[in-house]
Amino acid sequence: MGDGKRTILEGHGLSKWYGAGRRRRQVLFDVDVRLRAGECLAVIGGSGSGKTTLTRVLLGLEHADSGSVEYYGELVRGDVARKLRAQSGLVFQSPFDSLDPRWRIGRSIGEPLRLHYPDWSRDHVSERVAEALDMVSLDSGTYVNRFPIDLSGGQAQRAAIARAIVDKPKVLLADEPMSAIDVAARVRILESFEAIRNAEPDMAIIMVSHDLGVVQHIADRILVLHDGRAVEVGPTDQVLGHPQDEYTKRLVQAASL
């Protein structure tokens, strides 16, 4: 866990509206959030609770209408926002959104390296791609020359995770990475995240999920969102074992049925 480690990313009083005029609606209400080096923070809540909006605001992909975000103590704007985006890895619900269907897997995974390190040799890129594949338990000799269509959903998601961590980001955002994956494949993906945390002990992870079983196995702390408000935050065992807010209690009860 990230106890005693430096705060990487911090949001203060984050509020966000969408739409205009009579259709204008608020989707985040004065949310505070903190992410430390080496920590996995799970953001949980029902559909429409503001989970994805919050994480996009935190990573500078969207702007808050009020409040502020700091990355290593600096306001996320201008050069700091660009630095944050360059040092973030993203994993989405559908792995096929991250993998170009026309490219072999090795090329897709290596693309962030070619963008961020144009002076790297082809051998250096290939070596790092192989390391990333190994971390997610995909044999590089087998998978680098395959196309996304040749992979199962679980294999494709692990390849997408390899792509997200190949350049060793400071922050990894995983937005519902297992919701479209079958149960057996989820175990391999959880093992991949555990391997990443062991290999990169200072990498911070934000896991957006509605699956409390997944959250229980990977998260150090949980932030519970309900209708755009942070209703509870704390260590995973405390939030799931002794929830304080009524909404959190309902989530935990529903997950145990």
Side-chain angles (χ1 to χ4, degrees):
M1 184 178 167
D3 281 343
K5 292 195 174 183
R6 182 178 180 184
T7 296
I8 292 182
L9 201 56
E10 195 161 13
H12 305 276
L14 299 175
S15 294
K16 178 73 177 176
W17 284 262
Y18 285 133
R22 296 175 65 180
R23 294 189 176 183
R24 185 170 167 82
R25 61 187 180 90
Q26 191 169 359
V27 294
L28 289 179
F29 295 80
D30 197 30
V31 177
D32 294 329
V33 59
R34 183 182 77 254
L35 182 68
R36 294 170 292 187
E39 175 181 48
C40 179
L41 174 69
V43 181
I44 69 172
S47 178
S49 61
K51 302 187 300 293
T52 296
T53 299
L54 174 62
T55 54
R56 288 182 61 82
V57 168
L58 278 175
L59 292 185
L61 302 173
E62 292 190 34
H63 295 292
D65 290 298
S66 64
S68 62
V69 179
E70 294 180 1
Y71 182 53
Y72 286 107
E74 296 184 286
L75 283 175
V76 173
R77 59 189 180 194
D79 289 343
V80 176
R82 286 186 284 273
K83 180 180 178 182
L84 171 58
R85 286 193 289 270
Q87 295 180 348
S88 300
L90 304 175
V91 180
F92 301 105
Q93 181 174 341
S94 171
F96 299 102
D97 291 342
S98 304
L99 304 171
D100 191 315
R102 303 163 299 175
W103 290 5
R104 297 181 191 274
I105 295 301
R107 181 180 176 184
S108 282
I109 294 173
E111 184 189 24
L113 297 174
R114 289 186 288 271
L115 290 173
H116 296 152
Y117 307 105
D119 295 334
W120 278 23
S121 68
R122 182 177 295 180
D123 286 347
H124 195 176
V125 171
S126 296
E127 181 180 326
R128 180 58 195 151
V129 167
E131 288 176 6
L133 280 168
D134 183 62
M135 203 174 295
V136 298
S137 299
L138 291 175
D139 177 68
S140 60
T142 301
Y143 288 95
V144 287
N145 290 317
R146 291 189 178 180
F147 290 94
I149 197 173
D150 300 322
L151 274 58
S152 68
Q155 291 167 344
Q157 189 62 289
R158 282 187 280 152
I161 293 169
R163 185 182 190 278
I165 57 99
V166 71
D167 56 350
K168 301 188 177 185
K170 301 289 187 184
V171 181
L172 178 65
L173 168 62
D175 192 346
E176 298 281 9
M178 285 172 265
S179 62
I181 308 297
D182 65 54
V183 174
R186 289 185 189 191
V187 174
R188 304 300 298 273
I189 293 171
L190 273 175
E191 291 171 349
S192 297
F193 279 110
E194 289 173 2
I196 291 165
R197 298 194 72 191
N198 289 332
E200 303 291 341
D202 287 330
M203 184 186 296
I205 300 174
I206 305 174
M207 174 74 71
V208 176
S209 182
H210 68 278
D211 188 330
L212 299 191
V214 167
V215 166
Q216 186 174 17
H217 280 94
I218 194 170
D220 300 308
R221 286 192 307 128
I222 294 175
L223 172 70
V224 184
L225 280 181
H226 178 46
D227 290 340
R229 292 177 170 85
V231 296
E232 191 160 351
V233 62
T236 298
D237 57 353
Q238 178 183 308
V239 172
L240 297 185
H242 306 282
Q244 301 300 304
D245 184 80
E246 287 302 318
Y247 177 70
T248 311
K249 291 177 182 177
R250 292 200 301 271
L251 285 179
V252 172
Q253 185 177 23
S256 64
L257 293 177

